[in-house]
Amino acid sequence: MIKVAKFGGSSVANACQFRKVRQIIESDPDREFVISSACGKESNEDHKVTDLLYLCEAHVRYGVSYEPIFGQIVDKYSRIKEDLGLKIDLDHEFEMIRKVMKKGMSTDYLVSRGEYLTSKCLAEYLGYDFVDAADVICFRYDGEIDMEKTRLRIEERKKDNGIVIPGFYGALPNGVIRVMSRGGSDITGSVVANVVNADVYENWTDVSGFFVTDPRIVNNPVRINRINYSELREMSYMGANVLHDDAVFPVKSKNIPINIRNTNEPDNPGTMIMNDCREQDQIEPPHTITGITGRKDFTIITVIKSHASAEVGFLRKILQAFEDYHISIESVPATVDTFSVIVSSESVSSCLYDIVGRLRENLRPDDLRIEDHVALIAVVGRAMKEKPGMSGKLLSEFGNNQINIKIINQSSDELSIVVGVMNRDFEKAIRCIYDKFITEENGQ
Ligand code: ASP
């Protein structure tokens, strides 16, 4: 069995966390491919190494001394080295980084040093080989990862021993370091899982997987045991954030499950993200609802005009006005002569009245209404499909709790139902849905 284990910043924040990682690795010899983020925060007052490196870069750019910031990084790694009794020559590593900072360097090179240093320390501590991501994660000039070249490079470097590869960066064909977007170590883990044909991609973090809903809204929500990729996409689009969005594609294409695990609670099985959960669902049926998520602060722009539904091109003209301002649209609920467009309030903050002006001019509507402070809640679940009465139950729950529904939208794949309520009702609505569909189904 091949397991790729990626450890996030909180899992390698200090020596104590390194020890937990070693226990996890030693408890399963299949964990031979390890990907590491840069050291994360040890406490709320602390800073992530990557953030400190971005700050150093800004100091270099403005000609201000970077030493006070860089000193914090030096201290962090020196403490880890001392606490774990490592032999790594950190002075040499810091000297190299200082040298390039003095003569001017690329931002990508500098900010990748967090993953580089953390992985070097971790490899020594685990007794694994360190394999620099610059040598194996191969970008093409268009910014895409060359999977075949990456596969060959990893195959060349992987001997009998396990390996640690830094996350978040790779190199262009000319050897220049290139970083991914923030949180990119998740992508490195997924790419490595793809090219080594892993049986599972373990993503070790500081939560025990996905919860049905946000623990800040519902006390102790239940954990999601299994979720499929489409459900995950719906959940993360609407606000649930554990994994980098782009980390899904490399493993999904090869049907490799992702297991979200907690470094601080290694016995918890976490959440399995799979292409297809049907086999397991037969053994252990899931809740009707897999997850409830949502976001606040949307704006609904409603255009009303009698006989508009008979006017060819009416909807296109509405959408065109938004496209001209590069506004991405969340949803377009419509009835006979009433068309609504839902967008995030932030995205239209500087152009809403220009768009409205254009709609008035081009469409000559009978009425045009704007409503702010709207929240969208997505109720996601593969088990909702072909379950009659599901939306009825949901809507009557809102009625029973005096929550007014502004819009309701269900796609024909029946994977999710999106309900729009006022921001002020957001938390209450999520709690009601949770109680009705999770607490009740659990027989509590
Ligand atoms: N260290 C990088 C960041 O903070 C990448 C990662 O942790 O995945 O975004």
Side-chain angles (χ1 to χ4, degrees):
M1 192 166 232
I2 302 174
K3 290 184 178 175
V4 170
K6 179 257 163 178
F7 292 90
S10 59
S11 302
V12 285
N14 55 27
C16 169
Q17 293 302 92
F18 269 61
R19 290 193 184 97
K20 293 181 190 170
V21 171
R22 187 155 87 178
Q23 274 185 1
I24 292 166
I25 295 300
E26 286 179 350
S27 69
D28 187 344
D30 292 335
R31 294 181 176 130
E32 283 203 61
F33 293 88
V34 173
I35 313 300
S36 180
S37 282
C39 303
K41 290 182 186 191
E42 278 186 79
S43 63
N44 275 347
E45 295 71 47
D46 195 18
H47 302 284
K48 293 169 94 176
V49 165
T50 310
D51 291 337
L52 294 174
L53 287 165
Y54 273 107
L55 263 178
C56 283
E57 192 274 335
H59 281 65
V60 173
R61 199 156 18 101
Y62 291 110
V64 182
S65 167
Y66 52 78
E67 265 312 323
I69 312 275
F70 195 64
Q72 294 182 42
I73 300 175
V74 171
D75 283 352
K76 199 180 264 284
Y77 286 104
S78 305
R79 252 185 298 125
I80 290 177
K81 174 178 166 166
E82 196 182 308
D83 290 352
L84 301 176
L86 303 178
K87 294 200 179 59
I88 178 172
D89 186 355
L90 283 178
D91 291 339
H92 169 73
E93 299 289 352
F94 294 139
E95 239 0 86
M96 299 270 291
I97 301 173
R98 280 199 182 92
K99 225 191 235 164
V100 271
M101 278 200 281
K102 273 189 199 118
K103 68 173 207 262
M105 76 286 130
S106 82
T107 307
D108 285 24
Y109 169 80
L110 182 58
V111 301
S112 71
R113 295 305 87 188
E115 270 70 14
Y116 170 85
L117 288 172
T118 308
S119 298
K120 276 209 130 175
C121 293
L122 187 61
E124 183 188 336
Y125 186 56
L126 297 178
Y128 274 17
D129 295 333
F130 170 76
V131 173
D132 194 349
D135 296 329
V136 292
I137 304 294
C138 307
F139 278 101
R140 293 197 307 243
Y141 285 114
D142 64 3
E144 294 296 315
I145 291 178
D146 184 331
M147 299 297 274
E148 184 51 18
K149 203 163 155 192
T150 299
R151 185 186 72 74
L152 287 169
R153 293 283 182 89
I154 292 180
E155 200 177 87
E156 272 164 31
R157 299 289 194 294
K158 173 80 174 72
K159 306 281 180 275
D160 293 341
N161 207 10
I163 57 174
V164 179
I165 306 176
F168 186 46
Y169 72 97
L172 292 166
N174 59 3
V176 169
I177 299 260
R178 182 184 172 117
V179 296
M180 300 165 185
S181 51
R182 295 300 304 267
S185 303
D186 283 345
I187 306 174
T188 309
S190 183
V191 166
V192 173
N194 172 306
V195 299
V196 304
N197 287 317
D199 295 281
V200 60
Y201 168 29
E202 294 180 338
N203 193 291
W204 291 86
T205 172
D206 54 1
V207 285
S208 298
F210 281 100
F211 296 104
V212 168
T213 196
D214 189 337
R216 287 167 301 187
I217 300 177
V218 170
N219 231 340
N220 266 325
V222 295
R223 178 174 48 81
I224 301 175
N225 288 334
R226 294 179 305 283
I227 183 169
N228 69 30
Y229 285 124
S230 314
E231 291 174 304
L232 177 75
R233 175 85 189 115
E234 298 266 343
M235 295 273 296
S236 43
Y237 180 71
M238 284 302 290
N241 255 326
V242 176
L243 194 71
H244 193 297
D245 267 355
D246 295 340
V248 166
F249 307 108
V251 278
K252 188 178 174 199
S253 68
K254 283 208 172 159
N255 232 332
I256 300 167
I258 307 175
N259 189 193
I260 307 288
R261 301 285 291 267
N262 189 348
T263 302
N264 306 316
E265 206 193 329
D267 294 332
N268 192 312
T271 297
M272 262 308 184
I273 308 166
M274 323 167 84
N275 239 351
D276 186 353
C277 306
R278 275 177 295 186
E279 214 175 286
Q280 279 82 356
D281 286 353
Q282 275 171 2
I283 305 163
E284 186 201 353
H287 283 287
T288 313
I289 282 178
T290 303
I292 312 157
T293 178
R295 283 190 277 144
K296 284 184 176 175
D297 296 325
F298 288 93
T299 297
I300 307 183
I301 300 106
T302 302
V303 182
I304 305 165
K305 186 178 184 185
S306 8
H307 302 293
S309 48
E311 214 178 285
V312 175
F314 192 80
L315 181 58
R316 185 190 52 75
K317 284 184 202 152
I318 297 181
L319 300 184
Q320 187 70 52
F322 289 86
E323 188 179 336
D324 290 347
Y325 285 87
H326 292 281
I327 304 300
S328 127
I329 294 171
E330 297 295 326
S331 171
V332 190
T335 53
V336 184
D337 291 330
T338 304
F339 297 82
S340 295
V341 176
I342 305 181
V343 292
S344 93
S345 307
E346 198 192 346
S347 71
V348 288
S349 60
S350 60
C351 57
L352 182 60
Y353 289 95
D354 296 330
I355 293 176
V356 166
R358 190 171 291 202
L359 291 172
R360 282 196 205 285
E361 200 178 297
N362 293 350
L363 301 161
R364 309 251 160 242
D366 301 336
D367 198 1
L368 206 152
R369 294 183 198 147
I370 297 171
E371 187 142 26
D372 287 320
H373 311 297
V374 174
L376 296 181
I377 297 172
V379 181
V380 180
R382 60 190 180 279
M384 299 196 304
K385 198 171 167 65
E386 283 156 22
K387 208 167 226 172
M390 172 62 213
S391 37
K393 230 166 144 187
L394 182 69
L395 300 189
S396 61
E397 198 52 25
F398 278 62
N400 296 341
N401 286 284
Q402 309 291 320
I403 299 170
N404 182 43
I405 296 178
K406 302 280 331 161
I407 61 123
I408 172 151
N409 199 353
Q410 184 193 277
S411 54
S412 63
D413 61 8
E414 300 177 59
L415 189 68
S416 71
I417 300 175
V418 175
V419 184
V421 298
M422 297 311 291
N423 275 348
R424 61 174 176 271
D425 289 328
F426 180 70
E427 286 84 2
K428 183 177 170 193
I430 289 184
R431 279 186 216 113
C432 291
I433 307 168
Y434 186 89
D435 286 344
K436 184 77 198 161
F437 291 93
I438 304 291
T439 315
E440 243 178 50
E441 275 182 28
N442 280 347
Q444 286 160 359

